[in-house]
Amino acid sequence: MDFLTLFSIYLCLVLIAVALLCVCSGRMEGFLTRSASQSFHLHQVLSFVIPTQLQSVTHRALHRLFHTRNCLFVVLHMALQAAVFGEYTWEVFVYCWELQFHLLLLLLPYLLLAGNVGFFLLCSRANPGIITKSNHASLVKIYAYDGVLFQKGIVCPTCNVEKPARSKHCSFCGRCVHRFDHHCVWVNNCIGASNAGYFCLYLSSLAATAAALTATSAALLTHLVLLSRATHSTYMDDQGHEQAVGILFLVQHLFLTFPRIVFMLGFVILLTLVLGAYCCFYLYLALTNQTSNEWCKSRRYGWSHHLTLQLHDRQVVYKNIYSKGVWNNLKEIFKPPTVLERKKT
């Protein structure tokens, strides 16, 4: 199998990984909603080709996969971690040990993995802040209604309770969640007031783990290239001229010599970039005391936090009334306010 074929397979797998990561941030549901009209026309066309029974089975499978709470992505999450750390242990750790890399650098990914697994369990098993009839009276007093994103008197038709400010009904779990952020399929749980701190630590430790794997694997391959003195080598091109080795030649050489390590490195680089960007976005939300749900809703009113618009012949001003300063906003992620704390402020 030549280099181009291997690289094509690798590129396809990376694109699949990108698609799976998009599901992580909950954008798939929004994408499906925005393209509903196109899907309807496509469904009409396919209905003449695909048998009705097969359509029904496919529809139920897709609905269960993307619109109900299930552990499929948790299993996939564990499988990806097992595959990456299996390759890291089998080859990268062994080569680095033989090349006398510092032991702390080699053990750092395992330490970060242990912390990440702990935060994952806390985040997935914690009550995100489920609104029940018993705690509704206290939760409704914690946050004030801003009159734009959250209106007083709105009743959830499923839970049959008035929605407290900053809450939302999760269609995956079938329950209303206090200070709802989003439903994360990778932890198989909603992210709300009670587990937002765990999710922040889980996300940060996952990005740090990917970064540590990237740094160690890249250092190994760089060390191997320098030891082989491949950067000073030359080769003969198709015209018989001697050419100096370039970056593409080195990448091809490493891909053919250490295909699994290079594949793992490309995957963890992608994870580091995506998770790093998502960490920055989540930190921005935390520092400004917003949730993902609120941020998405506020885009309907423009990109400014202070915007005046005309709605039903009256002027409505949107403003983020929940921000209390950078430090207090960050503290609220790890220590959600109670009714008594709100009365003090």
Side-chain angles (χ1 to χ4, degrees):
M1 187 177 294
D2 60 2
F3 171 72
L4 289 177
T5 304
L6 286 171
F7 185 77
S8 300
I9 296 174
Y10 168 71
L11 184 61
C12 291
L13 292 174
V14 168
L15 291 175
I16 294 173
V18 171
L20 292 175
L21 287 170
C22 288
V23 178
C24 172
S25 59
R27 299 294 183 265
M28 181 63 72
E29 184 178 2
F31 172 77
L32 292 176
T33 303
R34 288 192 299 270
S35 57
S37 59
Q38 291 88 339
S39 300
F40 176 75
H41 295 301
L42 180 62
H43 175 74
Q44 286 182 321
V45 174
L46 293 179
S47 62
F48 294 102
V49 182
I50 303 176
T52 305
Q53 188 174 5
L54 182 59
Q55 290 182 45
S56 178
V57 172
T58 304
H59 176 74
R60 286 198 302 268
L62 291 175
H63 178 78
R64 180 170 179 79
L65 181 61
F66 292 111
H67 296 280
T68 59
R69 190 180 182 188
N70 62 81
C71 61
L72 176 63
F73 287 97
V74 174
V75 175
L76 180 60
H77 175 269
M78 294 179 179
L80 288 173
Q81 280 193 332
V84 169
F85 272 89
E87 174 58 26
Y88 174 80
T89 305
W90 182 257
E91 289 195 280
V92 176
F93 186 91
V94 173
Y95 283 132
C96 289
W97 181 262
E98 292 177 354
L99 294 172
Q100 297 182 342
F101 276 51
H102 199 284
L103 182 60
L104 181 60
L105 177 64
L106 300 182
L107 294 180
L108 182 59
Y110 296 105
L111 298 176
L112 291 171
L113 176 65
N116 178 252
V117 171
F119 294 134
F120 167 79
L121 292 175
L122 289 172
C123 187
S124 61
R125 292 171 178 255
N127 182 341
I130 301 173
I131 300 172
T132 61
K133 292 185 178 180
S134 59
N135 65 10
H136 174 266
S138 59
L139 292 180
V140 79
K141 299 176 182 178
I142 293 178
Y143 293 112
Y145 292 92
D146 62 1
V148 180
L149 300 183
F150 304 103
Q151 305 281 348
K152 186 176 178 61
I154 303 298
V155 178
C156 175
T158 303
C159 302
N160 198 26
V161 294
E162 182 183 356
K163 291 183 178 181
R166 311 193 77 181
S167 68
K168 185 179 184 297
H169 182 85
C170 177
S171 59
F172 288 83
C173 303
R175 58 198 184 187
C176 286
V177 177
H178 179 53
R179 198 184 182 277
F180 178 86
D181 191 276
H182 71 286
H183 181 92
C184 181
V185 296
W186 297 101
V187 300
N188 197 28
N189 199 4
C190 291
I191 307 302
S194 301
N195 65 347
Y198 294 143
F199 179 76
C200 183
L201 295 173
Y202 159 75
L203 187 61
S204 303
S205 61
L206 188 60
T209 303
L213 290 170
T214 299
T216 307
S217 303
L220 170 64
L221 293 178
T222 302
H223 199 76
L224 292 174
V225 168
L226 294 176
L227 283 178
S228 65
R229 300 184 63 83
T231 54
H232 302 286
S233 303
T234 58
Y235 69 97
M236 304 298 293
D237 60 15
D238 297 337
Q239 287 75 32
H241 300 130
E242 188 176 18
Q243 301 288 344
V245 170
I247 297 297
L248 183 61
F249 185 91
L250 290 176
V251 172
Q252 179 178 351
H253 170 71
L254 290 173
F255 199 97
L256 294 175
T257 308
F258 308 101
R260 291 187 296 272
I261 296 179
V262 174
F263 179 83
M264 185 197 74
L265 177 60
F267 183 72
V268 293
I269 287 176
L270 174 68
L271 281 179
T272 303
L273 294 175
V274 174
L275 292 173
Y278 190 43
C279 276
C280 292
F281 173 69
Y282 196 79
L283 180 61
Y284 160 75
L285 294 179
L287 295 177
T288 56
N289 206 329
Q290 298 182 83
T291 65
S292 300
N293 176 52
E294 292 164 5
W295 184 86
C296 292
K297 284 184 175 180
S298 67
R299 298 310 94 187
R300 303 173 189 172
Y301 302 99
W303 292 95
S304 173
H305 289 283
H306 308 274
L307 185 71
T308 302
L309 56 110
Q310 201 72 19
L311 183 65
H312 300 302
D313 297 329
R314 65 187 181 91
Q315 211 173 45
V316 177
V317 178
Y318 167 69
K319 180 182 178 182
N320 180 14
I321 65 172
Y322 306 113
S323 181
K324 307 170 186 175
V326 172
W327 173 247
N328 289 327
N329 291 340
L330 189 60
K331 188 171 68 173
E332 187 172 310
I333 294 294
F334 299 95
K335 187 184 176 183
T338 60
V339 179
L340 294 177
E341 289 176 348
R342 193 201 165 192
K343 287 182 179 179
K344 290 179 181 179
T345 58

